[in-house]
Amino acid sequence: MQTYLDFEKPVAQLAERVAELRETAAEGAVNIDAEIGRLEAKADRLLRDTYRQLNAWQKTQVARHPNRPHFKHYVDALATDFVPLAGDRNFGEDRAILGGLATLNGRRVMLIGHEKGDDTASRLRHNFGMAKPEGYRKAVRLMELASRFGLPLVTIVDTAGAFPGIQAEERGQAEAVARSIETCLSLRVPFVAVVTGEGGSGGALAIAAANRVLMLEHAVYSVITPEGCASILWRTADRAPDAADAMRMTATDLEGLGVIDRIVPEPLGGAHRDHAATVRAVGEAIGAELDALCTKSGRELRDERRAKFLRMGG
Amino acid sequence: MSWLDRVRNSIPFIAKRETAENLWHKCGKCGSMVFVKEWEDNLNVCPRCDHHDRIGPRRRFAQLFDSGRYQLMAEPIVAEDPLRFRDTKRYTDRLKAARAATRERDAFQNARGCIGGREAVVGVQSFAFMGGSMGAAVGAAFVVGAREALQHRCPYVVVTAAGGARMQEGILSLMQMARTAVAVSQLKDAGLPFLVILSDPTTGGVTASYAMLGDVHLAEPGALIGFAGQRVIEQTIREKLPEGFQRAEYLLEHGMVDAVVHRKDLAGTLAQLIAYLSPREREAA
């Protein structure tokens, strides 16, 4: 069942009309194939036009879409082999960040990513993709493992942010995020990050300070959620659309600012409408980036990554 | 303050009138009225309740460097308002207002001098300047301070104070977390100590980058230090926060800082640490 976003209402209405007509046609009364075809073409056109000019706030809705492909979809479709690794060896296992050894198109890598879950039970198990300190400490552990054994690192970034809670603070959420960023910048292996949904602040950057940062066409990446920004600067969360626009958080904006390196196009109507095509496109982009990075030495990779982030903001 | 006082105070060569406002300081915590002179001699700490008031870069430099002598470093120039950001006000107007109010260029300044007879570079974040928030200017200044320490092969000491990232610079403010982390790594690779003094308040993206990457973390008593804001946490978990949550003493209890140090002991403690951690002169091989 397709979940329609607010701004997709006209498309939803057309789809509903098509479904009704199909039912009528199935009853065999009249031949209305031509009419159905016409309506479907119209719906496609409408969807294309809508998605061509999404504003930042609409993209935020798309990036958070419950049916958007998540970490496990990427693993299932891209990894011919996957050995999940768990735990921070210190406190616990945080399922908001998953990781493991993976074979992508014949290449052995370390794959780490946020997992939001896609039904109530799994969302709770993955804490909606909001990691606690142990999640970031696990990420650090796996990144260091990758660096030590010469495995390229690939991360899938999709989180509203690091979890804000009492226990998370007690266990040093800030320190865990900081250490994770520091680790990203010290690795001596190729490192590609893909922002596939929400790139939520420090919780995203903690696994995204990569040699090459890719972003899906309708993904967003920002220092704070539009709601958070609006409630601080406009003193009401209702101004989130304005905040989203002002913060320049879309893939095109970020490419222009030199913060990301490549935009991966999404299928018509967004990644949630075609998982297979989305995942394939992401897989191909990762492969191409790794091909280029794998020719460099560990030291070069680390130094280039550091130099890139040292320049950010002029 | 009336408009007349505001104008008078903004003109440096007109002597300030000795009003009650100038003579007395009211403690923000216990409400005691203290002679400004007495309060300043006490390093802007309330002599009645020990409340550590927020202080800016100049005062901090004067308190930390030997005999209050130091050399202020030039602040790097960065592209201003890269996003042409506007909320209820233009970002450029907010910058102008902050500059007029603080007479600082942005929220981070560096100085070089001696602490306990040994050379050190000290960076101080200014909470008075847009909540100490970290944008490209703060990130760039941090990098400049670290580079100066690298050049002189001396420790880099940073006093943090910030509400977090500067939202008006959007994603570029987030990137300053990575940028400053690189500068810290370079100090560590060079074998130089990076010492952090957490002052009130230090939260958000600043805590989640250089503030928590120090070789040693000192915190001023009562300082609010954390990742997420208290309101955000309360809204997320829907329960009251425990007493003293995210205060310096709480962080000490939870292993996030090495010591909570009274302001009067800060310079001395730093001198001790620097004596242990300063890079030793290499013996001729």
Side-chain angles (χ1 to χ4, degrees):
Chain A
M1 185 41 210
Q2 179 74 49
T3 313
Y4 287 96
L5 298 167
D6 265 359
F7 62 85
E8 293 176 334
K9 284 244 169 71
V11 181
Q13 279 162 2
L14 278 175
E16 207 174 298
R17 179 94 186 95
V18 169
E20 275 169 23
L21 280 175
R22 273 194 207 290
E23 241 169 71
T24 320
E27 284 159 15
V30 276
N31 189 343
I32 39 177
D33 283 354
E35 175 65 3
I36 291 179
R38 198 182 61 78
L39 280 179
E40 278 180 337
K42 193 176 169 192
D44 265 13
R45 237 183 0 256
L46 197 57
L47 199 59
R48 192 182 311 269
D49 289 347
T50 307
Y51 270 75
R52 200 171 10 226
Q53 43 197 344
L54 291 184
N55 62 35
W57 178 240
Q58 290 168 331
K59 286 200 187 235
T60 308
Q61 310 304 310
V62 177
R64 292 172 180 170
H65 197 288
N67 301 130
R68 208 168 163 83
H70 292 153
F71 183 75
K72 79 174 180 92
H73 300 110
Y74 290 96
V75 173
D76 289 350
L78 293 180
T80 49
D81 181 52
F82 184 64
V83 186
L85 300 171
D88 69 342
R89 300 296 184 271
N90 188 25
F91 179 81
E93 159 66 351
D94 184 344
R95 293 181 185 84
I97 291 183
L98 300 177
L101 301 162
T103 307
L104 306 181
N105 199 17
R107 181 185 271 126
R108 292 194 174 97
V109 304
M110 179 68 81
L111 185 60
I112 302 175
H114 301 101
E115 174 60 62
K116 286 183 167 180
D118 42 22
D119 54 35
T120 307
S122 66
R123 282 188 192 116
L124 287 171
R125 189 165 62 245
H126 297 294
N127 197 32
F128 302 86
M130 291 187 286
K132 295 172 185 164
E134 45 278 18
Y136 294 105
R137 290 181 182 134
K138 171 171 71 181
V140 166
R141 191 190 132 231
L142 299 190
M143 289 193 264
E144 282 173 349
L145 194 68
S147 194
R148 213 146 51 81
F149 292 96
L151 294 165
L153 174 64
V154 176
T155 60
I156 301 290
V157 182
D158 185 16
T159 181
F163 185 68
I166 296 179
Q167 285 78 26
E169 294 286 323
E170 282 178 350
R171 295 197 288 273
Q173 184 69 293
E175 194 269 351
V177 169
R179 198 67 67 194
S180 193
I181 296 170
E182 183 186 48
T183 306
C184 285
L185 294 159
S186 301
L187 304 173
R188 289 164 179 262
V189 287
F191 179 7
V192 175
V194 191
V195 183
T196 56
E198 265 186 297
S201 197
L205 178 63
I207 60 166
N211 290 93
R212 301 284 291 172
V213 182
L214 281 46
M215 212 166 147
L216 272 178
E217 186 183 352
H218 303 306
V220 291
Y221 190 8
S222 64
V223 64
I224 183 170
T225 60
E227 293 92 332
C229 178
S231 62
I232 296 171
L233 293 182
W234 279 268
R235 307 207 171 273
T236 163
D238 298 346
R239 299 293 295 274
D242 297 300
D245 189 44
M247 282 199 293
R248 312 256 306 262
M249 56 196 287
T250 70
T252 322
D253 289 331
L254 268 55
E255 192 182 42
L257 292 166
V259 170
I260 64 155
D261 304 291
R262 176 178 178 146
I263 300 175
V264 181
E266 293 188 26
L268 173 62
H272 54 283
R273 286 195 162 80
D274 190 345
H275 281 197
T278 306
V279 171
R280 200 178 329 117
V282 168
E284 280 165 14
I286 292 171
E289 296 295 350
L290 285 180
D291 284 343
L293 291 177
C294 284
T295 59
K296 301 181 180 198
S297 74
R299 200 192 166 93
E300 260 180 299
L301 288 161
R302 189 200 66 177
D303 290 350
E304 283 179 14
R305 196 180 316 124
R306 285 185 173 181
K308 174 172 103 162
F309 284 95
L310 211 44
R311 278 195 304 269
M312 294 256 177
Chain B
M1 205 191 292
S2 74
W3 71 269
L4 195 63
D5 285 330
R6 225 175 354 248
V7 171
R8 187 181 286 116
N9 288 342
S10 68
I11 304 172
F13 49 81
I14 296 184
K16 284 185 188 169
R17 272 191 315 182
E18 299 241 312
T19 60
E21 204 178 310
N22 291 338
L23 278 175
W24 294 91
H25 167 79
K26 186 178 178 191
C27 175
K29 194 175 174 202
C30 71
S32 301
M33 298 298 284
V34 188
F35 261 121
V36 165
K37 177 84 174 65
E38 186 192 355
W39 177 63
E40 282 176 358
D41 287 348
N42 203 36
L43 308 175
N44 307 84
V45 174
C46 174
R48 313 276 183 276
C49 75
D50 250 0
H51 172 60
H52 285 52
D53 220 314
R54 291 166 184 168
I55 54 174
R58 303 288 180 117
R59 209 158 266 176
R60 186 69 79 170
F61 291 140
Q63 293 180 7
L64 291 182
F65 284 113
D66 294 351
S67 324
R69 290 175 43 155
Y70 60 91
Q71 210 182 338
L72 210 56
M73 287 170 50
E75 287 174 71
I77 304 292
V78 299
E80 223 153 77
D81 193 15
L83 307 188
R84 295 165 173 268
F85 194 96
R86 177 178 197 156
D87 47 81
T88 52
K89 286 183 193 158
R90 280 177 210 280
Y91 176 36
T92 47
D93 289 340
R94 286 188 191 272
L95 279 174
K96 263 184 224 151
R99 281 175 190 155
T102 60
R103 293 182 210 172
E104 290 160 7
R105 227 197 114 64
D106 211 295
F108 196 103
Q109 285 185 51
N110 291 296
R112 197 156 52 83
C114 286
I115 299 175
R118 286 186 170 81
E119 200 175 26
V121 176
V122 177
V124 177
Q125 214 153 355
S126 169
F127 189 77
F129 195 102
M130 293 189 75
S133 56
M134 171 163 65
V138 168
F142 184 96
V143 169
V144 163
R147 211 164 269 162
E148 181 83 355
L150 278 170
Q151 235 161 47
H152 291 265
R153 290 204 53 76
C154 70
Y156 190 32
V157 179
V158 167
V159 186
T160 64
R166 190 167 298 169
M167 281 174 289
Q168 291 89 345
E169 294 186 20
I171 194 79
L172 294 172
S173 70
L174 185 72
M175 292 303 129
Q176 303 309 308
M177 293 169 69
R179 185 190 209 179
T180 53
V182 172
V184 173
S185 295
Q186 290 176 333
L187 288 169
K188 290 183 182 174
D189 289 351
L192 300 173
F194 171 54
L195 309 175
V196 177
I197 299 169
L198 298 140
S199 81
D200 184 65
T202 301
T203 59
V206 169
T207 323
S209 57
Y210 56 85
M212 280 289 140
L213 292 175
D215 292 305
V216 176
H217 297 166
L218 306 178
E220 287 200 326
L224 179 79
I225 304 157
F227 176 67
Q230 301 209 341
R231 208 158 41 99
V232 175
I233 297 175
E234 275 181 338
Q235 281 166 1
T236 309
I237 59 168
R238 296 175 198 285
E239 48 181 293
K240 275 268 163 236
L241 299 174
E243 178 81 14
F245 181 64
Q246 292 184 325
R247 294 288 164 186
E249 297 73 14
Y250 176 95
L251 267 84
L252 179 67
E253 205 55 46
H254 287 93
M256 291 301 136
V257 301
D258 292 280
V260 176
V261 181
H262 194 285
R263 195 170 284 166
K264 69 175 159 42
D265 301 322
L266 261 185
T269 307
L270 271 183
Q272 260 181 309
L273 288 171
I274 290 171
Y276 280 101
L277 303 178
S278 272
R280 267 162 257 304
E281 300 298 321
R282 286 272 163 93
E283 283 170 43

